[in-house]
Amino acid sequence: MVCRVGIAGLGVIGARVASRLTAGIEGMTLSAVVSGDSEKARRTLAAMGSAAPVVSPAELARDCQVIVECAPTAAFLSIVEPALDAGRVIITVSAAALIEHMEVVDRARANGGRVIIATGALLGLDAVRAAALGEIRSVTMITRKPPKSLRGAPHLAVIGVDVDAVTEPTLLFDGTAREGARGFPANVNVAASLALAGVGPDLTRLQIWADPTLERNTHTIKVDADSARFEMTIENVPSLEKPGTGRITALSVIAALEGLSSPLKVGS
């Protein structure tokens, strides 16, 4: 039986996932797409050889069994709510939006749906989830990004910083993952994912640096638990189209999709 997959948002992540589905993922087919720019989406799909239609969120929920949500943050609920009401599986990297709307998890539970947060641009979530079954004493994440990757973040207006004028490593934020997700919604979905895997958004500490000496988006996580103490760093190559999004993010979504049907799954 072929699983019908829909994609909400055909930007950097969605287009890459759509291309892989069109090329072929065993047991899956791209059935429909939601986009804020329907004409552009149709051109993108045609260029990759896909005949998938551009539909409304309600039609996506009706026709697709699995929905990859990679739309702008403002569209999160409009995509997720009808899909979960229909008992669908959601794969998303929008953890920052999710921690502001945890009620959708109850919606999933009530209707037989499921929300899967793809690993995205982070590492170590399996270890954090396992440690959370015991006692975690502290979780800290330090994000360092080239200044251009942070352009447009709401917190920059609050603190009055022009990241394009930054000439040395500059600390922009030091607080909780919840506060960081609000101030940098397009940049720290990774911190929100870490929080949900571990001790929650209000106990997870986050620092965000603009660092003009870097060319890659860099995340370091430090965890102290009764089962293990570990520190890990990942350096992500920014996508050309959107520097704030690492190239590995779309690949992690594809890996999550493949994990739904693969006879072998590595990692918890």
Side-chain angles (χ1 to χ4, degrees):
M1 182 177 178
V2 176
C3 176
R4 301 185 304 277
V5 179
I7 298 176
L10 210 60
V12 174
I13 299 171
R16 184 71 181 271
V17 176
S19 179
R20 183 62 68 92
L21 279 164
T22 301
I25 293 179
E26 185 178 357
M28 296 186 173
T29 185
L30 178 59
S31 292
V33 167
V34 167
S35 175
D37 188 336
S38 298
E39 289 305 315
K40 181 180 179 182
R42 291 187 183 97
R43 292 194 300 270
T44 299
L45 291 166
M48 65 180 66
S50 173
V54 181
V55 301
S56 69
E59 291 170 314
L60 195 75
R62 183 192 67 198
D63 297 335
C64 299
Q65 298 158 300
V66 175
I67 294 171
V68 175
E69 189 284 315
C70 43
T73 302
F76 179 76
L77 288 181
S78 69
I79 301 299
V80 169
E81 288 183 335
L84 293 179
D85 286 345
R88 304 310 189 188
V89 174
I90 297 285
I91 296 178
T92 182
V93 292
S94 301
L98 181 59
I99 63 174
E100 293 296 318
H101 299 287
M102 288 299 291
E103 70 276 5
V104 302
V105 178
D106 294 328
R107 208 170 191 129
R109 184 180 294 109
N111 296 290
R114 191 179 182 199
V115 180
I116 298 172
I117 301 176
T119 302
L122 199 58
L123 78 173
L125 291 185
D126 273 6
V128 177
R129 286 174 52 214
L133 296 178
E135 178 189 354
I136 294 181
R137 301 184 184 97
S138 65
V139 179
T140 301
M141 177 172 170
I142 301 169
T143 289
R144 295 178 180 271
K145 290 192 171 189
K148 64 181 180 181
S149 297
L150 295 160
R151 289 172 184 160
H155 187 70
L156 297 177
V158 174
I159 62 176
V161 172
D162 177 4
V163 287
D164 290 321
V166 170
T167 58
E168 61 184 19
T170 301
L171 179 63
L172 303 177
F173 176 83
D174 187 355
T176 69
R178 185 187 301 278
E179 294 164 339
R182 290 170 178 167
F184 297 83
N187 295 98
V188 292
N189 278 308
V190 284
S193 296
L194 176 64
L196 290 169
V199 294
D202 298 312
L203 295 178
T204 301
R205 304 302 302 177
L206 172 65
Q207 287 187 359
I208 301 173
W209 293 73
D211 191 338
T213 69
L214 296 179
E215 294 182 357
R216 297 187 175 192
N217 302 324
T218 302
H219 307 293
T220 298
I221 64 172
K222 301 178 180 181
V223 177
D224 182 19
D226 63 350
S227 59
R229 179 183 299 147
F230 51 93
E231 178 176 335
M232 294 176 281
T233 297
I234 186 169
E235 299 179 4
N236 296 309
V237 178
S239 59
L240 294 176
E241 305 91 337
K242 189 176 180 183
T245 300
R247 295 183 188 179
I248 200 170
T249 303
L251 297 177
S252 82
V253 174
I254 294 167
L257 263 178
E258 292 182 340
L260 294 178
S261 60
S262 173
L264 171 65
K265 183 183 178 187
V266 179
S268 57

Short mmCIF file of all heavy atoms in Angstrom, two decimals, residues 121-122 139-143 175 187-192 194 204-208 218-222:
data_model
loop_
_atom_site.label_atom_id
_atom_site.label_comp_id
_atom_site.label_asym_id
_atom_site.label_seq_id
_atom_site.Cartn_x
_atom_site.Cartn_y
_atom_site.Cartn_z
N ALA A 121 18.56 20.41 12.37
CA ALA A 121 19.98 20.73 12.29
C ALA A 121 20.73 20.43 13.58
O ALA A 121 21.84 20.92 13.78
CB ALA A 121 20.15 22.21 11.92
N LEU A 122 20.15 19.62 14.45
CA LEU A 122 20.77 19.34 15.73
C LEU A 122 21.27 17.89 15.76
O LEU A 122 21.06 17.13 14.82
CB LEU A 122 19.77 19.58 16.87
CG LEU A 122 20.35 19.77 18.28
CD1 LEU A 122 21.32 20.95 18.31
CD2 LEU A 122 19.24 19.98 19.28
N VAL A 139 20.55 21.41 31.00
CA VAL A 139 20.73 21.35 29.55
C VAL A 139 21.00 22.78 29.07
O VAL A 139 20.23 23.69 29.35
CB VAL A 139 19.48 20.81 28.82
CG1 VAL A 139 19.72 20.80 27.31
CG2 VAL A 139 19.11 19.42 29.31
N THR A 140 22.10 22.94 28.36
CA THR A 140 22.46 24.24 27.81
C THR A 140 22.79 24.09 26.33
O THR A 140 23.42 23.11 25.92
CB THR A 140 23.70 24.82 28.53
OG1 THR A 140 23.40 24.95 29.91
CG2 THR A 140 24.07 26.19 27.96
N MET A 141 22.33 25.05 25.55
CA MET A 141 22.66 25.07 24.13
C MET A 141 23.27 26.41 23.79
O MET A 141 22.77 27.46 24.19
CB MET A 141 21.40 24.84 23.29
CG MET A 141 21.65 24.93 21.80
SD MET A 141 20.18 24.41 20.88
CE MET A 141 20.68 24.92 19.24
N ILE A 142 24.38 26.37 23.04
CA ILE A 142 25.05 27.59 22.59
C ILE A 142 25.03 27.59 21.06
O ILE A 142 25.61 26.68 20.43
CB ILE A 142 26.50 27.66 23.11
CG1 ILE A 142 26.50 27.61 24.64
CG2 ILE A 142 27.18 28.94 22.61
CD1 ILE A 142 27.88 27.42 25.23
N THR A 143 24.35 28.56 20.50
CA THR A 143 24.24 28.69 19.05
C THR A 143 25.10 29.85 18.58
O THR A 143 24.99 30.96 19.11
CB THR A 143 22.77 28.91 18.63
OG1 THR A 143 22.04 27.70 18.83
CG2 THR A 143 22.67 29.31 17.17
N GLY A 175 19.12 33.21 27.76
CA GLY A 175 17.88 33.00 28.52
C GLY A 175 17.35 31.60 28.32
O GLY A 175 18.12 30.66 28.11
N ASN A 187 15.20 30.79 13.63
CA ASN A 187 16.59 30.39 13.81
C ASN A 187 16.83 29.30 14.83
O ASN A 187 17.85 28.62 14.77
CB ASN A 187 17.44 31.61 14.22
CG ASN A 187 17.51 32.66 13.14
OD1 ASN A 187 16.77 33.63 13.17
ND2 ASN A 187 18.39 32.47 12.18
N VAL A 188 15.94 29.14 15.80
CA VAL A 188 16.25 28.23 16.91
C VAL A 188 15.18 27.16 17.12
O VAL A 188 14.87 26.79 18.24
CB VAL A 188 16.53 29.00 18.22
CG1 VAL A 188 17.82 29.78 18.11
CG2 VAL A 188 15.38 29.90 18.59
N ASN A 189 14.62 26.63 16.02
CA ASN A 189 13.80 25.44 16.15
C ASN A 189 14.58 24.33 16.81
O ASN A 189 14.03 23.48 17.52
CB ASN A 189 13.30 24.99 14.78
CG ASN A 189 12.08 25.76 14.31
OD1 ASN A 189 11.09 25.87 15.02
ND2 ASN A 189 12.16 26.32 13.12
N VAL A 190 15.90 24.33 16.60
CA VAL A 190 16.74 23.30 17.21
C VAL A 190 16.70 23.37 18.73
O VAL A 190 16.67 22.34 19.42
CB VAL A 190 18.19 23.41 16.70
CG1 VAL A 190 18.32 22.88 15.29
CG2 VAL A 190 18.69 24.84 16.79
N ALA A 191 16.69 24.58 19.28
CA ALA A 191 16.63 24.74 20.74
C ALA A 191 15.29 24.26 21.28
O ALA A 191 15.22 23.64 22.35
CB ALA A 191 16.86 26.20 21.12
N ALA A 192 14.22 24.53 20.54
CA ALA A 192 12.90 24.06 20.96
C ALA A 192 12.83 22.54 20.91
O ALA A 192 12.25 21.90 21.79
CB ALA A 192 11.83 24.68 20.08
N LEU A 194 15.36 20.49 21.29
CA LEU A 194 16.16 20.04 22.43
C LEU A 194 15.36 20.12 23.72
O LEU A 194 15.38 19.20 24.55
CB LEU A 194 17.43 20.89 22.54
CG LEU A 194 18.35 20.62 23.73
CD1 LEU A 194 18.93 19.22 23.65
CD2 LEU A 194 19.45 21.67 23.80
N THR A 204 15.53 24.72 29.84
CA THR A 204 16.64 24.60 28.89
C THR A 204 17.24 25.99 28.67
O THR A 204 16.54 26.93 28.31
CB THR A 204 16.15 24.03 27.55
OG1 THR A 204 15.56 22.75 27.77
CG2 THR A 204 17.30 23.90 26.56
N ARG A 205 18.54 26.11 28.89
CA ARG A 205 19.23 27.39 28.73
C ARG A 205 19.76 27.54 27.31
O ARG A 205 20.18 26.57 26.68
CB ARG A 205 20.40 27.51 29.72
CG ARG A 205 20.01 27.33 31.17
CD ARG A 205 18.96 28.34 31.61
NE ARG A 205 19.42 29.72 31.42
CZ ARG A 205 18.65 30.78 31.68
NH1 ARG A 205 17.40 30.62 32.11
NH2 ARG A 205 19.12 32.00 31.50
N LEU A 206 19.72 28.78 26.82
CA LEU A 206 20.11 29.03 25.44
C LEU A 206 20.91 30.32 25.34
O LEU A 206 20.53 31.35 25.91
CB LEU A 206 18.86 29.14 24.55
CG LEU A 206 19.06 29.59 23.11
CD1 LEU A 206 19.89 28.56 22.32
CD2 LEU A 206 17.71 29.82 22.43
N GLN A 207 22.00 30.26 24.61
CA GLN A 207 22.75 31.44 24.21
C GLN A 207 22.78 31.51 22.69
O GLN A 207 22.93 30.48 22.02
CB GLN A 207 24.20 31.40 24.72
CG GLN A 207 24.38 31.65 26.19
CD GLN A 207 25.85 31.76 26.57
OE1 GLN A 207 26.74 31.63 25.72
NE2 GLN A 207 26.11 32.00 27.84
N ILE A 208 22.66 32.72 22.16
CA ILE A 208 22.73 32.93 20.71
C ILE A 208 23.77 34.01 20.44
O ILE A 208 23.69 35.12 20.98
CB ILE A 208 21.37 33.34 20.13
CG1 ILE A 208 20.31 32.26 20.40
CG2 ILE A 208 21.49 33.59 18.62
CD1 ILE A 208 18.91 32.65 20.01
N THR A 218 26.49 26.91 13.91
CA THR A 218 27.11 25.98 14.87
C THR A 218 26.27 25.90 16.15
O THR A 218 25.90 26.92 16.73
CB THR A 218 28.53 26.45 15.22
OG1 THR A 218 29.30 26.54 14.01
CG2 THR A 218 29.21 25.48 16.17
N HIS A 219 25.99 24.67 16.57
CA HIS A 219 25.21 24.44 17.79
C HIS A 219 25.99 23.50 18.70
O HIS A 219 26.43 22.43 18.27
CB HIS A 219 23.86 23.81 17.48
CG HIS A 219 23.05 24.56 16.47
ND1 HIS A 219 22.53 25.81 16.70
CD2 HIS A 219 22.68 24.22 15.20
CE1 HIS A 219 21.87 26.21 15.63
NE2 HIS A 219 21.94 25.27 14.72
N THR A 220 26.15 23.89 19.95
CA THR A 220 26.77 23.03 20.96
C THR A 220 25.75 22.78 22.07
O THR A 220 25.14 23.72 22.58
CB THR A 220 28.02 23.70 21.57
OG1 THR A 220 28.99 23.89 20.54
CG2 THR A 220 28.61 22.83 22.67
N ILE A 221 25.56 21.52 22.43
CA ILE A 221 24.67 21.20 23.54
C ILE A 221 25.48 20.56 24.65
O ILE A 221 26.40 19.78 24.40
CB ILE A 221 23.49 20.30 23.13
CG1 ILE A 221 23.97 18.92 22.67
CG2 ILE A 221 22.66 20.96 22.05
CD1 ILE A 221 22.83 17.94 22.45
N LYS A 222 25.14 20.94 25.88
CA LYS A 222 25.81 20.41 27.07
C LYS A 222 24.73 19.86 28.00
O LYS A 222 23.82 20.59 28.38
CB LYS A 222 26.62 21.49 27.77
CG LYS A 222 27.71 22.12 26.90
CD LYS A 222 28.44 23.23 27.65
CE LYS A 222 29.52 23.86 26.78
NZ LYS A 222 30.26 24.92 27.51
#
